[in-house]
Amino acid sequence: MAEPSAAERDPEAVSQFVEGFAAQLVEAGMQRMPARVFAALLASDSGAMTSAELGEQLQVSPAAVSGAVRYLAQQHMVAREREPGSRRERYRVHSNQWYEALTNRDAVLKRWELALRAGVDSLGSTTPAGRRLSETLAFFEFVEGEVAAMMERWRAHREQLFGDNA
């Protein structure tokens, strides 16, 4: 069965999905407005909307959309792009946004590892606090290696499922 076009979709059902998925993202720790904007972008056929379109769909101000997009761009979950022939920006979620968001966490893990290593050096690895920091450092180093391996497996799996241009 063919997917319904945007014109055939029930706007209430779309809104329920957006708000429901946004609520799940909020429960996982994301701020409410970025979660709503992200969910709205995911639910759009093009994966891209202008600030005005997002504001209209979510019934929020341009300032609320702007702040949410700024946060999402910092998290590598959306990208800004110019509309051809216009000065208006569109905000786009890519099909591999989860991959991008997770792999960009690598820099955060590296900074945490550096700070923990400095903490171990400062506190001494034989003290109770130093041992706790050493264990935390070992955990992050383990996670970093596992995420890298998992992402490589995901790339291969994604290519099998969706082809090279997905």
Side-chain angles (χ1 to χ4, degrees):
M1 179 166 192
E3 180 181 331
S5 71
E8 297 169 338
R9 288 191 188 149
D10 175 7
E12 184 59 33
V14 172
S15 180
Q16 285 178 1
F17 164 77
V18 167
E19 297 305 326
F21 189 61
Q24 294 298 313
L25 293 171
V26 168
E27 195 171 304
M30 187 183 281
Q31 298 168 12
R32 184 172 186 267
M33 190 52 59
R36 293 180 72 214
V37 167
F38 184 72
L41 287 169
L42 275 179
S44 71
D45 282 338
S46 67
M49 297 172 80
T50 65
S51 181
E53 291 167 337
L54 285 162
E56 182 181 331
Q57 180 175 338
L58 300 173
Q59 297 295 294
V60 297
S61 72
V65 171
S66 176
V69 168
R70 188 177 323 109
Y71 171 83
L72 291 168
Q74 289 170 347
Q75 302 303 311
H76 304 281
M77 295 181 77
V78 301
R80 295 172 190 252
E81 56 187 39
R82 290 269 182 215
E83 277 190 351
S86 170
R87 292 187 340 179
R88 290 193 324 175
E89 285 188 327
R90 294 181 70 76
Y91 309 111
R92 176 172 299 282
V93 63
H94 296 286
S95 61
N96 63 347
Q97 76 279 347
W98 297 113
Y99 175 87
E100 291 295 324
L102 278 175
T103 55
N104 284 304
R105 294 283 185 247
D106 190 49
V108 172
L109 285 176
K110 290 281 189 206
R111 287 194 306 268
W112 290 354
E113 288 171 13
L114 236 107
L116 287 164
R117 223 173 255 110
V120 170
D121 291 345
S122 297
L123 299 170
S125 62
T126 59
T127 66
R131 181 166 167 23
R132 208 170 27 255
L133 292 182
S134 291
E135 186 175 339
T136 303
L137 173 60
F139 172 77
F140 284 126
E141 289 171 336
F142 175 81
V143 166
E144 182 181 12
E146 291 297 306
V147 167
M150 180 180 62
M151 289 302 161
E152 186 55 43
R153 289 190 311 272
W154 166 247
R155 277 192 294 275
H157 181 71
R158 180 175 183 254
E159 188 172 328
Q160 281 183 336
L161 289 176
F162 303 106
D164 206 16
N165 298 328

